[in-house]
């Protein structure tokens, strides 16, 4: 899965405190296409037994010369209609100068979210400055899906 979004323009009221600010960015919804995915892999969504995040990352697309220097910690949460939000990946001590951040997946089963029509991802970060007002990022996600062919 790959989804692009613009970061919301955060009102710049004064300067960031020296210790930074922890805040959530708005949710990003993606269509799971789980039924189509299952059919393409000769199974059915109701035969899926496990879905785990294998790789999750962010690419900074705009500004072209920008970096993620304004954040040092990220946590990615997932939810779905009727399914409570839970942590799926994180990255602590983000080094300066990065345009791509590879997050550490959490070993949690996302099947109950994946079999829904859509999932929602919400990013929490510890920010030391405002992102540029025209910041655009791409979230990349790779999942390991296991299905039981005997049912």
């Amino acid at each position: 899965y790959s989804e692009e979004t613009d970061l919301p323009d955060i009102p710049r009221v004064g300067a960031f405190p020296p210790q930074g600010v922890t805040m959530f960015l708005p949710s990003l919804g993606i269509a799971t296409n789980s039924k189509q995915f299952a059919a393409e892999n000769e199974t059915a969504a109701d035969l899926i037994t496990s879905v785990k995040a294998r790789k999750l990352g962010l690419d900074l697309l705009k500004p072209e010369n920008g970096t993620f220097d304004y954040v040092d910690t990220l946590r990615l949460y997932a939810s779905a209609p009727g399914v409570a939000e839970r942590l799926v990946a994180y990255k602590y001590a983000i080094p300066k100068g990065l345009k791509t951040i590879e997050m550490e997946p959490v070993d949690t089963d996302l099947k109950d979210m994946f079999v829904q029509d859509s999932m929602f991802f919400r990013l929490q970060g510890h920010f030391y400055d405002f992102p540029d007002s025209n910041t655009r990022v791409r979230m990349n996600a790779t999942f390991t899906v296991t299905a039981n062919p005997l049912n």
Side-chain angles (χ1 to χ4, degrees):
Y1 292 90
S2 183
E3 203 62 45
E4 293 182 14
T5 189
D6 295 316
L7 295 185
D9 194 16
I10 301 167
R12 296 173 188 251
V13 181
F16 256 77
Q19 71 274 17
V21 174
T22 298
M23 63 183 169
F24 279 99
L25 298 178
S27 292
L28 172 65
I30 64 164
T32 62
N33 300 316
S34 58
K35 291 177 181 80
Q36 177 184 345
F37 172 82
E40 289 172 359
N41 288 281
E42 299 180 15
T43 189
D46 61 340
L47 297 178
I48 293 173
T49 59
S50 172
V51 177
K52 296 202 175 181
R54 186 174 69 203
K55 188 175 177 184
L56 294 157
L58 291 174
D59 297 323
L60 184 62
L61 303 176
K62 287 184 184 178
E64 290 180 16
N65 61 348
T67 62
F68 283 111
D69 287 357
Y70 46 81
V71 64
D72 72 353
T73 299
L74 289 173
R75 292 179 188 91
L76 184 66
Y77 294 85
S79 65
V83 181
E85 183 176 80
R86 58 183 166 249
L87 180 68
V88 294
Y90 61 89
K91 182 68 174 181
Y92 302 133
I94 298 169
K96 301 291 184 200
L98 296 182
K99 291 188 71 66
T100 297
I101 297 174
E102 292 297 326
M103 301 179 79
E104 299 295 325
V106 173
D107 186 26
T108 187
D109 194 346
L110 304 173
K111 175 196 163 212
D112 53 349
M113 297 178 197
F114 185 77
V115 297
Q116 303 286 328
D117 291 335
S118 58
M119 291 176 65
F120 298 91
F121 290 94
R122 192 162 72 129
L123 199 58
Q124 179 190 45
H126 186 249
F127 294 86
Y128 282 97
D129 200 354
F130 295 99
D132 193 286
S133 63
N134 67 342
T135 298
R136 184 162 189 80
V137 297
R138 177 177 43 236
M139 185 186 81
N140 302 300
T142 303
F143 299 99
T144 299
V145 180
T146 305
N148 183 351
L150 301 176
N151 283 349

